[in-house]
Amino acid sequence: MSMLRVSRDGRVLRLELNRPEKRNALNGELCRELAAAIEEGDQDTGVGAILLSGAGKSFCAGMDLDEMLTPAEAGLAEAHERLFTIGSRVTTPIIAAVQGAALAGGTGLAANAHIVVASADATFGLTEIRIGLWPFVIFRAVVAAVGERRAMELAITGRIIDAREAESFGLVHHVGLVARAEEIATEVANASPEAMRTGLRFVTETRELERDAAGEFAQRFRRDLFATADFAEGIRAFREKRRPRWPSLHR
């Protein structure tokens, strides 16, 4: 049985963690499969959004502790680094549908998603301190999602927060039925591919820049998009009160 279910629904690439008996804990093999699937989807012009979910009652309970007891496993550190920085590298939106527990590495996956929809029973937390560890690899993504002060408090205390508190932190965008994640993924996938990829690339490339330098990037990126066929089509469609037919979808 594959640990990662991969399917397509139109322009939405669906990735489902499939270790329900392990609460979808992440071992090295699953980390590599998931990172590869996201990266391949990001390179596929037919994919407009990536929908990430977990089979069973939990989204992801974090790292596979049995494997973590044997850290000599080849490439484990590299697999973790590759997966938990992926949200800052891809230019295809990742939408996470979180139900049940999303702890430790599960919170890291949520932080790497661009949009997170959580069920009312979802829980999050940087629980590594409870087993004598620190969330080294996922910490940067969590800081980007909730800010350093929030991330620090979660890492120090190891406490578990519910979906509503995660929403108040900015880690979760919508609380309710996880089916909403499918709707959002479909909506996002139908946006201008050129504008979406350019926008996410702008966010990534300007994250560490000073304000003035970031402003220069913004002007250049905006000028480039002004000159695209997608922008011209978007204006025409708005004026004609119809759905756009994005030229970049057919290149």
Side-chain angles (χ1 to χ4, degrees):
M1 183 177 68
S2 173
M3 290 188 289
L4 182 67
R5 290 176 179 159
V6 181
S7 61
R8 283 279 290 272
D9 183 3
R11 287 179 48 75
V12 177
L13 175 65
R14 296 170 178 268
L15 304 177
E16 183 182 50
L17 306 179
N18 190 34
R19 299 185 79 199
E21 75 287 355
K22 292 281 191 178
R23 300 171 72 205
N24 297 317
L26 297 165
N27 60 13
E29 182 181 351
L30 180 53
C31 286
R32 283 185 282 271
E33 284 188 22
L34 180 56
I38 294 172
E39 289 165 354
E40 289 170 13
D42 188 48
Q43 294 300 311
D44 186 342
T45 58
V47 172
I50 298 169
L51 178 60
L52 178 61
S53 62
K57 296 181 179 180
S58 294
F59 175 70
C60 175
M63 302 301 182
D64 189 323
L65 296 183
D66 291 336
E67 185 178 75
M68 294 297 288
L69 290 173
T70 56
E73 194 261 346
L76 186 59
E78 291 80 1
H80 291 169
E81 179 69 13
R82 178 184 176 191
L83 178 60
F84 291 114
T85 59
I86 205 157
S88 65
R89 291 187 284 108
V90 299
T91 56
T92 303
I94 302 170
I95 293 89
V98 178
Q99 80 291 337
L103 302 176
T107 293
L109 287 182
N112 269 274
H114 299 98
I115 299 175
V116 178
V117 178
S119 62
D121 70 341
T123 55
F124 302 83
L126 302 183
T127 53
E128 289 86 347
I129 200 69
R130 297 184 179 194
I131 60 168
L133 193 61
W134 184 266
F136 293 106
V137 182
I138 66 174
F139 193 76
R140 288 162 293 170
V142 177
V143 167
V146 306
E148 185 173 320
R149 297 283 287 176
R150 297 281 197 194
M152 188 71 75
E153 186 262 340
L154 291 173
I156 289 172
T157 64
R159 72 185 182 93
I160 295 173
I161 62 176
D162 63 20
R164 287 298 179 189
E165 188 168 9
E167 183 182 35
S168 74
F169 282 9
L171 180 62
V172 167
H173 300 89
H174 305 276
V175 177
L177 297 176
V178 292
R180 176 62 180 139
E182 299 180 10
E183 297 173 2
I184 292 172
T186 300
E187 293 167 6
V188 167
N190 288 324
S192 160
E194 193 151 36
M196 187 67 72
R197 288 181 178 275
T198 301
L200 290 182
R201 189 160 57 88
F202 165 76
V203 172
T204 297
E205 293 184 13
T206 60
R207 182 168 284 130
E208 304 298 330
L209 295 181
E210 297 292 336
R211 186 173 67 174
D212 289 348
E216 292 176 6
F217 266 75
Q219 293 300 324
R220 176 166 61 82
F221 276 60
R222 188 171 71 157
R223 280 196 306 271
D224 290 346
L225 274 180
F226 277 166
T228 63
D230 273 20
F231 180 67
E233 165 60 11
I235 295 296
R236 281 194 300 271
F238 177 78
R239 289 173 174 168
E240 296 169 10
K241 297 180 171 59
R242 59 172 174 81
R243 291 185 66 86
R245 296 183 288 271
W246 304 116
S248 64
L249 273 178
H250 307 293
R251 285 206 289 246

